[in-house]
Amino acid sequence: MADIVAETERLVLRTIEEGDAALQYRLLDTPTVMARLGGVKELHEIEAKHAKGMALYAQEGFSFLFMIEKATGEMVGHCGIKRVDNPLAKNPGDHEVGWLVREDRWRRGYAEEAMRAVLDWAFGRVGAPHVVALTSEANVGSWKLMEKLGMIRRRDLDFDDPAYPQEDRPTILYSLTAEQWQEHKA
Ligand SMILES: CC(C)(COP(=O)(O)OP(=O)(O)OC[C@H]1O[C@@H](n2cnc3c(N)ncnc32)[C@H](O)[C@@H]1OP(=O)(O)O)[C@@H](O)C(=O)NCCC(=O)NCCS
C-alpha cells in the first residue's frame, strides 16, 4: 500500500510502489517531458530509480512521489525529495527537490501546487534545513517555477556535467532555506 504524503486541492501525492515504473515509462517518459533532462530513459533505468527511491523512503522517510489527479485518479506527474547524488555536484547529500508533469497537463498550476506541498513536507516532517533544485538555463519553465517558489539562484553551486548535451550545460542550482520558505509563504 502506498503512503499518502500530502493532499492538495486537486492532487494526491503518494509514494512509489513496486510496478509503478511502467506507468511512468508510459505517461512521463516522453521526448517533450524529457527534452531538457537528458532525453527519454529505458524502462530498466526508471525501475532502478524507483528502487533507489523506495529504499530512500524506507531509510529516511522521503523520496519522489506520484502526483495523482483527484478528478480522474490518473497519475499526472512525479515530484519530491531525494539527496543530491550527482558525483560532480559541490553539495552532495543536500535535500534536492524536483518535478515532472505530464505534457497534457502542463500550465494548469499542477507543478506549483504539488511543490508547495512538497516544500511544506521537506521543512516540516522531513526536517530539511534547506533544499536545492537543479536545472539548466535552457529549461526556462523549470527555473521560472523555482523563482516563483522563492528559491534563490546559487551560482556558487553550479557545475558542469558532460553527460548532458551542450545546450543543457552547465547544471545550475537554486536553494531555499526553511526560513526563506516561511517568509515567502507569508
Ligand atoms: C517544468 C514543469 C514541471 C512545469 O509544470 P506545470 O505544471 O506546467 O507548471 P505550473 O503550471 O505549475 O507553472 C508554475 C509556474 O512555473 C513557470 N512555468 C511553468 N511552465 C513554464 C513555461 N513553459 N514557460 C515559462 N514559465 C513556465 C511559471 O512561472 C508558472 O507560473 P505562471 O503560470 O503563473 O506563469 C513542466 O513543464 C515539465 O514537466 N517539464 C519537463 C520536465 C522538467 O524539465 N522538469 C524540471 C526538472 S528540473
Side-chain angles (χ1 to χ4, degrees):
M1 261 303 260
D3 285 350
I4 292 177
V5 164
E7 199 177 325
T8 67
E9 189 191 339
R10 295 174 295 170
L11 303 168
V12 169
L13 304 185
R14 71 149 174 89
T15 52
I16 301 295
E17 292 186 289
E18 212 65 63
D20 276 342
L23 195 58
Q24 178 156 344
Y25 184 64
R26 187 159 58 82
L27 297 177
L28 285 176
D29 196 34
T30 64
T32 313
V33 171
M34 299 304 290
R36 308 249 72 89
L37 302 173
V40 292
K41 302 277 178 271
E42 302 282 341
L43 177 60
H44 69 87
E45 294 176 277
I46 299 174
E47 283 169 344
K49 270 189 198 290
H50 281 202
K52 204 171 162 187
M54 284 186 277
L56 182 68
Y57 186 76
Q59 281 161 18
E60 301 205 58
F62 61 85
S63 63
F64 265 56
L65 310 164
F66 270 177
M67 299 178 197
I68 308 296
E69 184 175 49
K70 286 184 186 172
T72 60
E74 288 185 38
M75 188 275 262
V76 294
H78 190 40
C79 67
I81 315 168
K82 68 184 195 61
R83 289 210 182 263
V84 173
D85 57 1
N86 188 317
L88 298 169
K90 295 175 183 164
N91 55 337
D94 274 5
H95 292 82
E96 173 184 342
V97 292
W99 46 80
L100 304 173
V101 170
R102 228 169 86 173
E103 203 178 324
D104 61 355
R105 301 296 202 280
W106 281 7
R107 299 316 299 259
R108 297 186 187 189
Y110 279 171
E112 183 178 355
E113 185 171 319
M115 287 315 297
R116 295 184 76 86
V118 166
L119 290 171
D120 280 341
W121 182 44
F123 295 128
R125 274 172 292 156
V126 170
H130 68 274
V131 301
V132 295
L134 283 62
T135 189
S136 66
E137 293 283 1
N139 199 343
V140 177
S142 197
W143 61 255
K144 284 210 164 166
L145 175 56
M146 292 172 196
E147 293 187 351
K148 200 169 181 201
L149 291 167
M151 300 189 80
I152 310 292
R153 181 78 173 86
R154 291 289 303 274
R155 290 179 195 277
D156 57 314
L157 296 177
D158 290 358
F159 65 94
D160 187 44
D161 186 348
Y164 283 89
Q166 202 57 47
E167 62 269 24
D168 286 306
R169 290 165 63 184
T171 297
I172 66 167
L173 278 82
Y174 279 72
S175 75
L176 186 72
T177 64
E179 292 72 26
Q180 286 165 341
W181 178 234
Q182 290 314 323
E183 274 171 32
H184 183 75
K185 284 207 305 176

